[in-house]
């Protein structure tokens, strides 16, 4: 009996949801970083968002492992997720050390990488048309 490892058309997978949550959490971090400059509540929100972002990164690793395990597919998504967790760890350390010169560019890089990963997992190949126009 064959095991189906692809998602049905129109349904989100655990990996897609995990990357979307991670991307949303990083975007929230960017917004609250701006609030740090103008509001006393900014630090509380940014700190809480950092915890959510780190948890979302761990969830992404778990989702990648669970997606790889049943189908025996490529382990590359696990490497991406693990690399992102390492970046998130460095980001947390830089934030605690109050190193904005490194913390801010790394945050921008992480957001870009997360958006790219999200776009990659959400994109689907369009079926080729049998009757091409000349």
């Amino acid at each position: 009996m064959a095991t189906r490892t692809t998602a049905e058309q129109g349904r989100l997978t655990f990996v897609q949801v995990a990357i979307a949550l991670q991307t949303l959490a990083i975007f929230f971090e960017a917004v609250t970083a701006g609030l740090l400059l103008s509001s006393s509540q900014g630090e509380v929100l940014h700190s809480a968002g950092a915890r959510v972002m780190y948890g979302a990164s761990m969830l992404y690793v778990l989702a990648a492992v669970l997606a790889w395990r049943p189908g025996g597919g490529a382990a590359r998504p696990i490497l991406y997720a693990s690399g992102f967790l390492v970046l998130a760890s460095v980001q947390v350390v830089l934030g605690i050390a109050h190193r904005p010169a490194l913390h801010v560019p790394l945050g921008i890089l992480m957001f870009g990488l997360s958006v790219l990963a999200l776009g990659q997992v959400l994109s689907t190949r369009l079926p080729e048309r049998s009757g091409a126009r000349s």
Side-chain angles (χ1 to χ4, degrees), residues 73-109:
R76 185 168 286 169
I78 298 171
L79 293 175
Y80 292 157
S82 299
F84 203 93
L85 184 60
V86 168
L87 288 177
S89 299
V90 171
Q91 184 72 338
V92 168
V93 168
L94 290 172
I96 291 171
H98 299 287
R99 300 289 208 157
L102 299 172
H103 183 75
V104 172
L106 182 57
I108 293 168
L109 174 68

Side-chain angles (χ1 to χ4, degrees), residues 58-80:
M58 286 190 247
L59 186 68
Y60 178 26
V61 172
L62 176 66
V65 169
L66 292 176
W68 164 75
R69 194 72 178 128
R76 185 168 286 169
I78 298 171
L79 293 175
Y80 292 157

Side-chain angles (χ1 to χ4, degrees), residues 7-85:
E8 293 178 23
Q9 189 71 16
R11 296 195 60 183
L12 293 175
T13 64
F14 185 34
V15 172
Q16 292 170 333
V17 171
I19 294 175
L21 177 64
Q22 173 183 277
T23 305
L24 185 63
I26 294 171
F27 181 73
F28 179 77
E29 283 298 277
V31 171
T32 59
L35 288 175
L36 276 170
L37 302 173
S38 63
S39 169
S40 62
Q41 298 298 321
E43 185 176 355
V44 173
L45 290 172
H46 195 68
S47 178
R51 288 171 175 82
V52 171
M53 184 276 301
Y54 197 75
S57 297
M58 286 190 247
L59 186 68
Y60 178 26
V61 172
L62 176 66
V65 169
L66 292 176
W68 164 75
R69 194 72 178 128
R76 185 168 286 169
I78 298 171
L79 293 175
Y80 292 157
S82 299
F84 203 93
L85 184 60

